[in-house]
Amino acid sequence: MKKKILITGGAGFIGSHVVRRFVTKYSDYDIFNLDSLTYAGNLENLKDIEAYPNYHFIKADITDEATINKLFEEHQFTDVLHLAAESHVDRSITDPLAFAKTNILGTMILLNAFKNLWSERWDGHRFYHISTDEVYGTLGETGLFTETTSYDPNSPYSASKASSDHFVRAYGETYGMPYVITNCSNNYGPNHFPEKLIPLCINNILTGKPLPIYGNGKYTRDWLYVIDHAIAIDLVFHKGENHETYNIGGFNEWQNIDLVRELCKQMDSKLGKDEGSSEKLITFVKDRPGHDLRYAIDASKINQELGWAPSVTFEEGLSNTIDWYLNNEDWLQEVTSGNYQNYYQNQYKGE
């Protein structure tokens, strides 16, 4: 049976890199990119592949049960790579119900549609759920998250993702659905919407705005280059064991303040500024509620079982990322100006 893979959230940051990899690498697969094109979904991310014959875009919302069921019946998707999610912790604090709706209900609607289509013939099909390390809660100064770490989410975002993980596993146990789950660390790289730390700081340096750092800046994250993440997703989809979880991390811990200082240093060099110029924009702001101190992933399982490892150091990946933004300032201006959102509201009026 020819693969007809549904990738949800494929116009978003991580999703667009996954879609590009599958479309260009697997010409014998039909790739269906389903995205509702909210503020973080941008078809400009995929302009380079939109004419490929095996690429198909569908504008739809995963919480629209009738539409999702109709699409599964019409296209007979053989597999699902589920990336669509509300994903920004700050937004989850101000609007938790939106996160519950998309991340929990949306996932269940997809699971149900997949179950209804293939429950009598599971062989050769797979539901791949992409999740986050934030479901594990927070770490102290030592230790790493493993695949067996107990869930302990601390924000509405991480709680909604933890719930969706549980539902995927429950469908596997109850209905025999073949699934895999991956929990990743913080991603960075090209096409990242500038509300997250790295693209926000790049944009603010370019526009001379303050670089906001929560609390004392000592919060620690493990950073994963998005292209390395797409490679890992490819490996897990094709070679991972059903009903298994794989943690994907960059082996790359940085405190926020040190990361921003490194970014400032590279920006000054690339922009021809005096060293230290951008660092003067650093501004410490009030901490956000429920802020996890440290995330760090033990990615030894995917390394040992599937042979995956990061391909770049953080400094190299950060340099590549900055270069992309400096070479794509039009993209950056569009997604921050509101023109992009207006365009798609007009483009898909009435749909």
Side-chain angles (χ1 to χ4, degrees), residues 84-86 103 129-132 135 156-165:
E86 296 281 355
N103 297 352
H129 181 61
I130 286 83
S131 190
T132 173
V135 299
Y157 162 60
S158 56
S160 68
K161 290 298 290 184
S163 179
S164 66
D165 292 5

Side-chain angles (χ1 to χ4, degrees), residues 1 3 72 77-80 110-128 168 170-179 242-243:
M1 180 183 295
K3 288 285 187 189
F72 271 80
F77 302 124
T78 59
D79 305 87
V80 175
L110 289 167
L111 287 166
N112 234 34
F114 194 63
K115 172 184 72 70
N116 291 342
L117 187 60
W118 299 116
S119 60
E120 301 301 320
R121 40 193 174 138
W122 283 127
D123 285 351
H125 306 288
R126 171 168 279 180
F127 191 103
Y128 183 169
V168 173
Y171 271 67
E173 292 300 317
T174 304
Y175 305 110
M177 180 181 291
Y179 74 84
N242 280 328
H243 293 199

Side-chain angles (χ1 to χ4, degrees), residues 42-335:
N42 188 344
L43 290 181
E44 292 293 319
N45 294 344
L46 295 164
K47 289 288 286 186
D48 57 315
I49 64 158
E50 64 182 8
Y52 277 58
N54 63 330
Y55 172 69
H56 315 275
F57 174 70
I58 301 170
K59 184 178 184 294
D61 191 323
I62 61 171
T63 65
D64 183 346
E65 185 176 8
T67 296
I68 294 299
N69 288 338
K70 181 180 177 182
L71 289 168
F72 271 80
E73 292 170 8
E74 177 183 350
H75 296 290
Q76 301 279 297
F77 302 124
T78 59
D79 305 87
V80 175
L81 273 67
H82 178 36
L83 294 100
E86 296 281 355
S87 64
H88 192 11
V89 174
D90 289 355
R91 288 179 184 261
S92 81
I93 293 170
T94 58
D95 189 7
L97 289 180
F99 282 67
K101 182 179 180 182
T102 298
N103 297 352
I104 302 173
L105 181 60
T107 299
M108 291 188 68
I109 287 171
L110 289 167
L111 287 166
N112 234 34
F114 194 63
K115 172 184 72 70
N116 291 342
L117 187 60
W118 299 116
S119 60
E120 301 301 320
R121 40 193 174 138
W122 283 127
D123 285 351
H125 306 288
R126 171 168 279 180
F127 191 103
Y128 183 169
H129 181 61
I130 286 83
S131 190
T132 173
D133 59 356
E134 296 189 39
V135 299
Y136 299 123
T138 188
L139 290 166
E141 293 183 1
T142 60
L144 299 169
F145 295 135
T146 72
E147 288 81 0
T148 58
T149 299
S150 297
Y151 277 27
D152 188 22
N154 290 316
S155 71
Y157 162 60
S158 56
S160 68
K161 290 298 290 184
S163 179
S164 66
D165 292 5
H166 291 322
F167 273 110
V168 173
R169 292 191 178 99
Y171 271 67
E173 292 300 317
T174 304
Y175 305 110
M177 180 181 291
Y179 74 84
V180 286
I181 297 174
T182 51
N183 298 83
C184 68
S185 57
N186 280 30
N187 279 228
Y188 72 100
N191 302 106
H192 205 177
F193 190 81
E195 66 181 355
K196 300 295 180 75
L197 180 62
I198 289 175
L200 175 68
C201 288
I202 292 172
N203 187 46
N204 284 12
I205 289 171
L206 290 173
T207 55
K209 296 178 181 178
L211 309 180
I213 306 295
Y214 283 125
N216 61 8
K218 300 295 184 181
Y219 294 99
T220 302
R221 300 292 183 262
D222 173 31
W223 291 91
L224 172 64
Y225 192 46
V226 68
I227 295 172
D228 283 336
H229 189 192
I231 294 169
I233 288 172
D234 182 0
L235 275 172
V236 172
F237 176 76
H238 287 98
K239 298 182 178 179
E241 293 290 330
N242 280 328
H243 293 199
E244 287 290 330
T245 297
Y246 298 88
N247 282 350
I248 307 172
F251 300 102
N252 215 351
E253 286 187 62
W254 285 73
Q255 289 189 342
N256 286 349
I257 186 61
D258 294 332
L259 182 155
V260 173
R261 285 172 176 154
E262 172 65 23
L263 188 151
C264 288
K265 179 182 175 182
Q266 290 201 24
M267 287 287 286
D268 286 344
S269 175
K270 292 175 185 292
L271 295 173
K273 293 184 175 183
D274 292 337
E275 187 171 337
S277 299
S278 297
E279 197 169 317
K280 294 176 182 176
L281 296 171
I282 291 175
T283 305
F284 293 95
V285 298
K286 183 181 177 181
D287 213 347
R288 72 184 179 201
H291 201 163
D292 293 330
L293 174 64
R294 175 174 168 259
Y295 306 138
I297 272 185
D298 180 352
S300 58
K301 178 178 178 179
I302 189 174
N303 174 255
Q304 293 167 7
E305 295 187 10
L306 303 182
W308 177 88
S311 67
V312 295
T313 66
F314 180 73
E315 290 85 352
E316 291 169 333
L318 183 61
S319 178
N320 294 341
T321 300
I322 293 170
D323 287 344
W324 185 88
Y325 281 96
L326 294 181
N327 291 326
N328 291 274
E329 287 193 55
D330 289 346
W331 180 93
L332 190 56
Q333 290 169 7
E334 279 294 308
V335 300

